[in-house]
Amino acid sequence: YISVTGVQTCALPIYKDACIGCGACAAICPDNWEMKDGKAEPKATELDDAGCNQQAADSCPVNCIKVETENE
């Protein structure tokens, strides 16, 4: 999970078993996503801003990244 601190909190669970390793998330959001061992992996788990992570999740063809936000 990735948590984003601030006005909203954001958890980004990634379901690695479902990841097909297409690299779309890493291409769209290289600041926080990279490919390791053929699977997507977040670089950071604590963020102040969700940034491009929603676009990364939206780009996933198998929907294995979910963005969950809550207002604090």
Side-chain angles (χ1 to χ4, degrees):
Y1 286 85
I2 296 173
S3 65
V4 178
T5 59
V7 175
Q8 288 191 326
T9 57
C10 177
L12 293 179
I14 179 165
Y15 303 96
K16 281 190 156 189
D17 290 342
C19 180
I20 60 171
C22 73
C25 57
I28 288 173
C29 191
D31 289 344
N32 198 50
W33 292 92
E34 62 188 346
M35 301 302 293
K36 284 193 177 175
D37 299 322
K39 301 282 185 171
E41 189 168 305
K43 294 178 183 178
T45 57
E46 300 271 334
L47 301 171
D48 292 330
D49 183 341
C52 57
N53 290 290
Q54 181 62 60
Q55 291 88 354
D58 292 343
S59 73
C60 181
V62 293
N63 299 311
C64 68
I65 302 169
K66 304 290 183 203
V67 176
E68 300 168 350
T69 59
E70 281 185 24
N71 289 327
E72 288 185 352

